[in-house]
Amino acid sequence: FFFYILQHIMVAATVQKNKAYYSRYQVKFRRRREGKTDYRARLRLTLQDKNKFNTPKYRLCVRVSNRFVRCQVIYATIKGDIVVSSAGSWELEKYGIKVGLKNWAACYATGLLCARRTLKKFNLDETYEGIEGDDVTGEDYNVEAVDDGPRPFTCYLDIGLKKNNTGARVFGALKGACDGGLNVPHNEKRFIGYDKDEKSLDAEMVAGYIKGSNISEYMEMLEEEEPEKFQKHFSKFHEEEITAEDFEDMYTEAHEKIREEPELVKKARSKPSKPQTWKTPKLSYEQKKANLKAKLLALKEAGED
């Protein structure tokens, strides 16, 4: 009986969307309706202090798709967002990384490429070189301003709608950008290998992920236990003749090449040999007359045959 009364009370308390509701309804932004933009996060990433006047507030946007990872340095204006520099993992093929373009190591390399490209554009690449070679131990690194020079290039991490889980690939790109010389405010709590109970970072694990040790270990394990699955999962690696022992050298060489030549070389556009037209050109009266005579002559010959 009690549940019967409760059911009737709940039905009576149902909110009806009446005329007053619809007259006050405000349509949400298009990209919110499409589920593409978190405007609450965007507001905090784009608002600039008034006393900084027209100084852009840069953000490091990291987006991971099913095939690639893209890093962009962007700032917002009233007209729209302006992209300062961009780097995609599909460019890593030029530096020797031909497969595995969305894993943690690829995210790190893409973040490093974006950082070096951005600093090169603002002539800060020699002032802020970040860390490289044996200095990349996996420890957390923050750029420090030089005494007699410009301040470091500062931007804020924008991960979009991705969850900020510990060890996520977007933080691999963040690590690459910081090691490359960008000043991105962060702490080590979201890097792979961080133990929240001990409140410490396993630097060796981070260094291993940077050089693809997690992939090489998985390859070796899979090759021993499930050879068929190994052949299927790493078919692209087999085509490029990449083994588990090649990862460390491959990524180390790629990082060196990225620092040597981070700029994007645009291909020269060649003019087409013939001008392309998609609309049928208009014919003059004389041309139409000649075409008609040709058609009539063709019909006459066909009739005689």
Side-chain angles (χ1 to χ4, degrees):
F1 178 75
F2 173 74
F3 289 107
Y4 176 78
I5 297 295
L6 184 62
Q7 186 179 5
H8 277 264
I9 292 171
M10 291 176 68
V11 170
T14 304
V15 178
Q16 297 292 330
K17 293 182 178 179
N18 52 18
K19 184 178 179 181
Y21 169 82
Y22 287 108
S23 65
R24 288 163 176 77
Y25 182 78
Q26 185 174 1
V27 179
K28 297 188 186 302
F29 292 152
R30 176 181 58 82
R31 288 184 63 86
R32 172 61 189 86
R33 297 197 305 269
E34 294 173 352
K36 291 182 178 179
T37 299
D38 179 2
Y39 279 98
R40 187 172 185 274
R42 178 182 167 81
L43 186 67
R44 285 150 181 77
L45 285 167
T46 55
L47 279 181
Q48 182 66 292
D49 297 335
K50 293 296 182 183
N51 60 357
K52 294 183 180 177
F53 302 100
N54 202 28
T55 305
K57 188 172 185 177
Y58 298 101
R59 62 186 199 275
L60 175 67
C61 295
V62 182
R63 299 292 183 268
V64 182
S65 68
N66 289 335
R67 293 179 62 197
F68 304 110
V69 56
R70 181 197 292 268
C71 296
Q72 293 177 309
V73 176
I74 302 175
Y75 68 93
T77 65
I78 294 175
K79 290 183 179 179
D81 286 6
I82 306 297
V83 179
V84 175
S85 65
S86 176
S89 60
W90 54 86
E91 298 178 48
L92 298 178
E93 189 173 353
K94 185 176 80 171
Y95 302 103
I97 305 172
K98 298 181 180 179
V99 288
L101 300 178
K102 62 172 184 177
N103 55 39
W104 212 94
C107 289
Y108 177 90
T110 308
L112 177 66
L113 176 60
C114 184
R116 299 311 301 167
R117 188 171 288 174
T118 304
L119 294 174
K120 183 83 173 177
K121 184 172 184 177
F122 289 96
N123 296 322
L124 294 170
D125 54 325
E126 295 181 2
T127 309
Y128 296 100
E129 296 182 351
I131 54 174
E132 58 181 311
D134 296 333
D135 295 333
V136 183
T137 58
E139 295 285 348
D140 190 18
Y141 172 74
N142 290 285
V143 179
E144 294 182 1
V146 297
D147 296 331
D148 52 346
R151 288 176 292 180
F153 187 92
T154 302
C155 53
Y156 302 90
L157 182 64
D158 180 354
I159 62 174
L161 301 176
K162 289 283 184 184
K163 292 183 179 179
N164 57 342
N165 296 327
T166 301
R169 288 174 291 177
V170 290
F171 298 112
L174 167 66
K175 176 64 175 165
C178 292
D179 289 357
L182 289 183
N183 179 29
V184 187
H186 70 283
N187 58 37
E188 61 186 19
K189 291 183 178 180
R190 288 302 179 199
F191 288 148
I192 192 75
Y194 181 80
D195 190 343
K196 65 178 182 180
D197 295 328
E198 297 181 3
K199 296 183 179 179
S200 62
L201 180 69
D202 187 352
E204 290 183 7
M205 182 181 285
V206 179
Y209 267 69
I210 289 171
K211 296 177 182 178
S213 65
N214 56 319
I215 309 166
S216 59
E217 289 173 6
Y218 181 64
M219 282 182 75
E220 291 171 353
M221 182 271 292
L222 210 61
E223 188 175 10
E224 291 178 5
E225 297 180 3
E226 299 180 63
E228 292 182 3
K229 190 176 180 181
F230 169 72
Q231 294 294 333
K232 183 179 179 182
H233 275 217
F234 293 98
S235 58
K236 295 291 183 183
F237 289 79
H238 300 323
E239 290 177 10
E240 299 294 337
E241 298 180 353
I242 298 173
T243 61
E245 292 78 19
D246 300 332
F247 278 95
E248 185 172 351
D249 294 335
M250 181 178 73
Y251 284 112
T252 304
E253 290 174 7
H255 298 161
E256 293 174 359
K257 290 177 182 177
I258 286 170
R259 288 182 171 277
E260 289 172 7
E261 191 182 350
E263 291 178 303
L264 177 65
V265 180
K266 293 185 178 180
K267 294 181 180 178
R269 296 181 64 182
S270 58
K271 292 184 178 180
S273 56
K274 295 181 181 179
Q276 294 179 333
T277 55
W278 286 269
K279 290 183 178 180
T280 307
K282 288 185 177 181
L283 301 177
S284 65
Y285 175 72
E286 298 298 330
Q287 289 174 326
K288 290 177 182 178
K289 203 172 180 180
N291 289 345
L292 181 60
K293 283 182 179 180
K295 285 180 181 179
L296 291 173
L297 186 62
L299 286 170
K300 187 177 179 181
E301 291 175 355
E304 290 177 356
D305 294 340

